[in-house]
Amino acid sequence: MDRIKAMLDNKVLQYNCKEFIANDPVQFIHSFTEKNDIEVAAILASVIAWGNRKMIIRSGNRMLFDMMKGKPYDYVMKGLWESLDATANIHRTFFVRDFIYLCRGLQNIYLHHNSLESLFVDKDMWNGIETLRTMLAQANGNATTRHISNPIAKPGKPASACKRMHMMLRWLVRNDGIVDIGAWKDISPSQLMIPLDVHVARTARMLGLVGRKQNDRRTVEELTAHLRELSPDDPVKYDFALFGVGVESDTFEQNT
């Protein structure tokens, strides 16, 4: 574990840098200064954070700056989404109807809470995600959305890794002074769970940090527990290292 920690710590220094921002959806939360604007930008950017990264950034710009005119919280609270064409596409399987769903749900949450942070305070991150998911559904006729995964297992179906939500939480809770801005002050980085994408999972298995083959909630918990052994106060900083090594491996394979 000492050897693994030394390697990962070096990779954190390599990838947790300003250059990371330009090619990652985290750039959108750097575009705002007001807490509620940051939160709206974070949830919208995170739910489309899958697939080609250039496409993700293009779609994020369309939502936050073309559609919302750079004022996401104001747009949500004024209900300016109500007249949109619900059938229009925004990003892959994310349509305007999904954007409307989130805007309607966020408006309802902000009518009762000053910040999304209050949904996560004094509970673990899984319960916070479930609370967010439930409150969004309540504003939409109790219909859930596939764009926010279910952290609770169902019969015959494992609980999701909730990769995009944990990535959003990393953006909002960690404050490294470089990439993650720490807009939320009442949650400790020690409470965060690793955002488990294919790159992170593959690197973690290569290093022997997880043994399970499935990319689900149990694997997230197993991997995060090992990362807490390496850095109890900030285990999710290793997201940068595990992701970066995974991308390096992809690039090497493509060029050989």
Side-chain angles (χ1 to χ4, degrees):
M1 288 297 283
D2 288 343
R3 179 181 58 82
I4 291 172
K5 175 176 170 56
M7 186 274 286
L8 291 179
D9 283 341
N10 284 331
K11 290 298 182 181
V12 170
L13 294 175
Q14 179 180 345
Y15 288 106
N16 190 184
C17 60
K18 291 289 186 183
E19 289 74 19
F20 183 91
I21 298 171
N23 298 311
D24 191 86
V26 73
Q27 67 183 261
F28 293 113
I29 66 170
H30 286 264
S31 300
F32 303 98
T33 56
E34 295 298 323
K35 185 178 181 180
N36 293 146
D37 282 329
I38 292 169
E39 291 176 343
V40 176
I43 194 168
L44 290 174
S46 66
V47 297
I48 64 165
W50 58 287
N52 181 277
R53 296 175 88 194
K54 289 183 179 179
M55 185 182 294
I56 293 167
I57 292 167
R58 184 166 62 245
S59 300
N61 276 316
R62 181 184 175 195
M63 279 193 295
L64 292 165
F65 297 102
D66 295 342
M67 297 169 66
M68 306 179 95
K69 308 301 181 186
K71 298 181 178 180
Y73 177 74
D74 189 57
Y75 182 95
V76 164
M77 298 313 293
K78 288 182 177 177
L80 299 177
W81 35 269
E82 292 176 340
S83 60
L84 296 177
D85 174 9
T87 65
N89 182 256
I90 293 177
H91 179 77
R92 304 189 74 172
T93 62
F94 187 86
F95 286 79
V96 169
R97 61 176 172 267
D98 303 303
F99 175 78
I100 292 172
Y101 176 101
L102 292 175
C103 287
R104 183 184 294 119
L106 288 169
Q107 183 190 61
N108 180 60
I109 291 171
Y110 283 123
L111 289 173
H112 297 89
H113 299 269
N114 292 327
S115 166
L116 299 185
E117 184 177 12
S118 62
L119 308 185
F120 291 84
V121 172
D122 297 329
K123 60 186 72 169
D124 70 33
M125 298 301 97
W126 301 107
N127 288 337
I129 293 169
E130 178 61 15
T131 301
L132 172 63
R133 196 167 180 268
T134 297
M135 293 196 71
L136 291 172
Q138 288 171 348
N140 287 278
N142 291 318
T144 56
T145 173
R146 62 178 173 171
H147 294 288
I148 296 183
S149 300
N150 191 354
I152 308 299
K154 291 184 176 181
K157 189 173 182 180
S160 170
C162 295
K163 174 257 178 178
R164 287 174 285 176
M165 287 293 98
H166 287 305
M167 180 179 65
M168 179 190 77
L169 292 167
R170 195 203 83 204
W171 295 345
L172 294 170
V173 173
R174 288 190 75 249
N175 184 4
D176 56 30
I178 305 171
V179 176
D180 298 327
I181 66 172
W184 290 356
K185 308 302 182 186
D186 295 327
I187 300 170
S188 169
S190 65
Q191 298 172 251
L192 294 173
M193 308 298 292
I194 192 74
L196 188 73
D197 72 357
V198 293
H199 298 293
V200 169
R202 182 173 59 191
T203 307
R205 292 187 179 101
M206 178 183 70
L207 295 173
L209 293 172
V210 289
R212 303 182 73 253
K213 294 182 179 179
Q214 301 87 343
N215 289 347
D216 57 16
R217 174 171 171 168
R218 283 179 58 196
T219 301
V220 170
E221 291 171 341
E222 180 183 344
L223 176 54
T224 305
H226 281 116
L227 297 178
R228 286 198 178 109
E229 294 176 16
L230 305 181
S231 178
D233 295 333
D234 189 15
V236 173
K237 71 179 182 182
Y238 293 117
D239 185 27
F240 294 95
L242 296 170
F243 176 80
V245 171
V247 172
E248 282 179 1
S249 176
D250 270 355
T251 303
F252 176 78
E253 290 175 4
Q254 290 168 7
N255 293 331
T256 56

